[in-house]
Amino acid sequence: MAITSANQLELLQTAEAVAREKMIDAELVIEAMEDSLARAAKSRYGADMDIRVAIDRKTGVATFTRVRTVVEDDLLENHHAELTVKQAAPYLDDPKIGDEIIDEVPPVELGRIAAQSAKQVILQRVREAERDRQYEEFKDRAHTIINGVVKREEYGNIIVDVGAGEAILRRNEKIGRESYRNGDRIRCYVKDVRREARGPQIFLSRTAPEFMAELFKMEVPEIYDGIIEIKAVARDPGSRAKIGVISYDSGIDPVGACVGMRGSRVQAVVNELQGEKIDIIPWTEDQATFLVNALQPAEVSKVVIDEEAGKIEVVVPDEQLSLAIGRRGQNVRLASQLTALDIDILTESDESARRQAEFAARTKLFMDELDIDEMMAQLLVAEEFTALEEVAYVELDELLAIDGFDEETAEELQTRARERLEAVAAAALAAARELGVEDSLIEFDGLTPQMVEALAKDGIKTLEDFATCADWELAGGWTTVNGERVKDEGLLEPFDMSLEEAQTLVMTARVLLGWVDPTEMETAADEDEAEEASDDEVQEETR
């Protein structure tokens, strides 16, 4: 059919009807029509021609035009849509690169195939516009709770009608064995919204910790208003959960506010989570106190935190062990998630046995190295001496403070300790030289003979070798593998070398070798000091 023979207003009416149905801008539909008509015209006039169509937004009249663009002589490729400055001279008074010559051409007759093609173009553009609208609508709703209606189930996944689109609740995001029928209303957490070729993909969850946090925000006005903040959440979906809360108003109890009158607030959340039991715990900056609270109802005797390793050791009474661990390790697992620390639980008898073993090992060390009797060795260990270096270089008064130690005994102990350390150092130095260590490394300030020997056993025999080491290779560190923290043993870690000390030594070696400008070390040190000062200021403001 000819576009001119149809009711010209019909184009606008059709565009408006489609726009209303799909809830998109009518302008997008009209642009799709213009594009489809232009493609149909190209099939009539030639695919190489630049045919454009403009539909009047008031009258619906479609105007077909042919456009030719002025280009440089050496860039002329398409003679049907481009022309040179010289060729454009008869049409333009002063042609320049980029100018366009626009000529109106007769409207085309749309045959059956052309009309079908035009329809496909319009439908495609409309679908794209609809997808863009859905994405724009839902992208801002990510990380919030949404209500929907169950539409169907596919291989255990639930397809949810969320109004202007569909979302998916994967089977691993459902709580326990909960099942739904078509038409059931469902409340979920919008975990992610992605723009994909087949349209926006909306992923829902009912097992995410954030889902429970958002439910509390809906039930507890103080959380919504910011008076109470949820600091940490840990869930075993459908079974048990722990939530850490803090109040910024001293007159409001965060736990009581979350529980509500006769438990009404927390019960509303429990009902939505299929009866999931929830422990509400007061949050505190002190990790040890927070962990003691998180392990409730178990009692805790002692907490030892290793901040560098990100681990925490908890000692509980023997009869409380099963309660602290919980059924299938649930209680300690949730407490670990809540505090973001690896938790080791020991009974008091286990810790006592370990302390006795450590006491015996240190006693034997002093007996063997200092050639003293068991009683004297035990006195040293009881006063928390752990190594020969402490005995050798401690102030004499600290040894004299031990019951039964006179000045002569203390001086003799220090002499023996120093002689033993010197003998060990000499043996280590000899072993290092035998392994081929160069003097440049032996004489490097900051490394003991024992350290040099340990480096030599790993093939580090020159200052150049040492300068190529990374700080974590020397001091050790922690890496995360498959979600678990794994220890990387450092070459000098047995000598209690910290990461900062290792970094300083390596940088000093690089400066001595001329690899690094000394000013870079000073700049790095200044930056570290500034960062530490900034952290201190933040902590002070927090307090």
Side-chain angles (χ1 to χ4, degrees), residues 275-288:
E276 189 171 313
K277 295 179 178 63
I278 302 174
D279 297 332
I280 303 173
I281 300 160
W283 187 88
T284 173
E285 286 187 359
D286 181 43
Q287 285 184 320

Side-chain angles (χ1 to χ4, degrees), residues 287-304:
Q287 285 184 320
T289 303
F290 183 43
L291 180 60
V292 170
N293 295 335
L295 282 171
Q296 292 177 357
E299 297 176 7
V300 176
S301 303
K302 186 168 69 173
V303 174
V304 180

Side-chain angles (χ1 to χ4, degrees), residues 497-509:
M497 177 166 289
S498 68
L499 206 60
E500 292 75 15
E501 291 170 337
Q503 188 177 31
T504 300
L505 287 175
V506 171
M507 289 298 293
T508 302

Side-chain angles (χ1 to χ4, degrees), residues 185-252:
R185 296 198 61 81
I186 188 172
R187 183 186 288 181
C188 300
Y189 177 76
V190 182
K191 196 171 185 180
D192 193 13
V193 180
R194 303 177 197 165
R195 189 197 294 269
E196 296 186 2
R198 56 183 176 175
Q201 299 296 300
I202 305 164
F203 297 95
L204 306 178
S205 175
R206 285 176 57 80
T207 61
E210 296 86 355
F211 181 46
M212 189 175 75
E214 289 295 318
L215 288 174
F216 269 104
K217 187 182 293 185
M218 296 171 66
E219 297 293 337
V220 184
E222 291 86 350
I223 295 178
Y224 183 83
D225 294 337
I227 299 173
I228 294 175
E229 183 183 356
I230 297 174
K231 300 291 288 187
V233 181
R235 288 184 66 192
D236 190 352
S239 178
R240 195 173 197 89
K242 292 179 184 287
I243 179 170
V245 292
I246 185 173
S247 173
Y248 296 111
D249 185 337
S250 58
I252 295 178

Side-chain angles (χ1 to χ4, degrees), residues 167-463:
I168 182 171
L169 175 65
R170 297 187 185 278
R171 56 186 172 186
N172 62 329
E173 297 289 350
K174 294 191 294 184
I175 297 175
R177 298 179 180 177
E178 62 183 1
S179 60
Y180 298 94
R181 293 177 297 180
N182 292 355
D184 286 352
R185 296 198 61 81
I186 188 172
R187 183 186 288 181
C188 300
Y189 177 76
V190 182
K191 196 171 185 180
D192 193 13
V193 180
R194 303 177 197 165
R195 189 197 294 269
E196 296 186 2
R198 56 183 176 175
Q201 299 296 300
I202 305 164
F203 297 95
L204 306 178
S205 175
R206 285 176 57 80
T207 61
E210 296 86 355
F211 181 46
M212 189 175 75
E214 289 295 318
L215 288 174
F216 269 104
K217 187 182 293 185
M218 296 171 66
E219 297 293 337
V220 184
E222 291 86 350
I223 295 178
Y224 183 83
D225 294 337
I227 299 173
I228 294 175
E229 183 183 356
I230 297 174
K231 300 291 288 187
V233 181
R235 288 184 66 192
D236 190 352
S239 178
R240 195 173 197 89
K242 292 179 184 287
I243 179 170
V245 292
I246 185 173
S247 173
Y248 296 111
D249 185 337
S250 58
I252 295 178
D253 172 25
V255 176
C258 291
V259 172
M261 185 71 69
R262 298 180 182 175
S264 58
R265 292 176 175 178
V266 71
Q267 193 58 46
V269 178
V270 169
N271 293 339
E272 179 63 43
L273 299 178
Q274 304 295 324
E276 189 171 313
K277 295 179 178 63
I278 302 174
D279 297 332
I280 303 173
I281 300 160
W283 187 88
T284 173
E285 286 187 359
D286 181 43
Q287 285 184 320
T289 303
F290 183 43
L291 180 60
V292 170
N293 295 335
L295 282 171
Q296 292 177 357
E299 297 176 7
V300 176
S301 303
K302 186 168 69 173
V303 174
V304 180
I305 297 177
D306 185 347
E307 294 183 355
E308 184 179 345
K311 283 193 171 186
I312 195 163
E313 193 173 83
V314 177
V315 180
V316 298
D318 291 26
E319 67 277 5
Q320 294 278 316
L321 179 62
S322 59
L323 193 60
I325 294 175
R327 183 182 179 189
R328 297 178 182 174
Q330 184 184 71
N331 195 51
V332 68
R333 184 171 65 251
L334 291 175
S336 179
Q337 292 176 20
L338 206 64
T339 57
L341 290 168
D342 290 335
I343 301 174
D344 292 331
I345 293 187
L346 299 175
T347 62
E348 291 178 344
S349 58
D350 288 339
E351 194 214 10
S352 176
R354 189 182 66 180
R355 283 205 312 267
Q356 291 175 6
E358 290 176 354
F359 190 90
R362 290 172 183 169
T363 299
K364 188 175 186 307
L365 168 71
F366 289 134
M367 289 174 63
D368 294 342
E369 300 293 341
L370 298 178
D371 192 21
I372 56 179
D373 60 27
E374 185 177 7
M375 180 64 72
M376 187 174 289
Q378 288 178 346
L379 287 172
L380 287 172
V381 177
E383 291 296 325
E384 298 185 353
F385 284 91
T386 60
L388 285 179
E389 287 82 0
E390 295 176 7
V391 177
Y393 302 110
V394 75
E395 292 292 333
L396 195 63
D397 290 343
E398 293 193 31
L399 289 174
L400 292 174
I402 302 174
D403 288 341
F405 279 37
D406 54 24
E407 187 171 345
E408 182 181 353
T409 302
E411 289 177 349
E412 176 62 23
L413 279 176
Q414 286 200 322
T415 300
R416 291 186 186 184
R418 290 170 183 170
E419 289 176 350
R420 180 56 185 160
L421 289 173
E422 289 171 2
V424 170
L429 186 59
R433 291 189 184 280
E434 189 174 339
L435 289 170
V437 177
E438 294 185 1
D439 289 343
S440 61
L441 187 61
I442 292 174
E443 296 169 0
F444 181 64
D445 190 25
L447 295 179
T448 66
Q450 292 93 323
M451 292 180 183
V452 174
E453 182 186 11
L455 293 171
K457 289 179 179 178
D458 201 66
I460 300 171
K461 301 179 181 180
T462 67
L463 191 61

